[in-house]
């Protein structure tokens, strides 16, 4: 009887270890995989839907700055922020700006063009 209990306990322990390793491995892989070709910790710009679908950003930024960095002025179809704790302010052609929260994305129509980016250590907009 004790032999049967030991075998059951050993199997249960092995099952928990395998489940823990699987869950840990899955979350580590998910954290490292890029979003549409945009790796952590970047904010990436895509010039059109084809670039978005193929995962080829036209520009990537990762430096936290106190002022806006110039972005080549052109219509941008999509912008992705893969940073976990930092917001990205996007300056538009009319001088207004929008805030892109951590781990989020936005899409623009051709009427909008991004002219600058400022990555902030703030975690909220």
């Amino acid at each position: 009887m004790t032999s049967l209990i030991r075998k059951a306990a050993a199997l249960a322990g092995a099952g928990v270890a395998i489940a823990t390793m699987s869950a840990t491995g899955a979350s580590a892989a998910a954290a490292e995989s890029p979003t549409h070709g945009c790796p952590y910790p970047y904010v990436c710009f895509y010039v059109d839907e084809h670039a978005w679908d193929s995962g080829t950003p036209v520009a990537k930024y990762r430096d936290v700055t106190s002022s806006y960095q110039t972005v080549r002025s052109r219509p941008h179809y999509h912008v992705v922020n893969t940073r976990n704790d930092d917001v990205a302010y996007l300056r538009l052609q009319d001088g207004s700006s929008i805030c892109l929260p951590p781990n989020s994305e936005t899409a623009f129509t051709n009427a909008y063009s991004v002219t600058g980016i400022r990555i902030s250590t703030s975690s909220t907009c």
Side-chain angles (χ1 to χ4, degrees):
M1 180 72 163
T2 55
S3 175
L4 182 59
I5 292 172
R6 283 188 194 142
K7 285 182 184 178
L11 287 174
V16 170
I18 291 169
T20 302
M21 287 171 24
S22 296
T24 304
S27 64
E32 294 174 7
S33 65
T35 302
H36 286 274
C38 187
Y40 171 84
Y42 285 90
V43 178
C44 297
F45 290 80
Y46 301 83
V47 72
D48 57 23
E49 187 174 357
H50 176 70
W52 168 252
D53 289 339
S54 64
T56 53
V58 67
K60 297 186 286 189
Y61 297 86
R62 71 173 181 186
D63 295 334
V64 172
T65 59
S66 58
S67 60
Y68 281 94
Q69 299 176 69
T70 301
V71 172
R72 183 174 174 202
S73 182
R74 66 171 124 197
H76 290 95
Y77 171 73
H78 232 91
V79 182
V80 176
N81 181 2
T82 65
R83 301 175 75 92
N84 294 327
D85 299 315
D86 305 324
V87 299
Y89 292 96
L90 306 175
R91 184 181 60 210
L92 304 178
Q93 79 277 9
D94 64 2
S96 65
S97 64
I98 64 166
C99 180
L100 193 58
N103 294 308
S104 65
E105 59 191 50
T106 190
F108 293 102
T109 64
N110 284 337
Y112 291 96
S113 182
V114 178
T115 62
I117 180 172
R118 181 173 64 84
I119 299 173
S120 167
T121 57
S122 176
S123 61
T124 58
C125 291

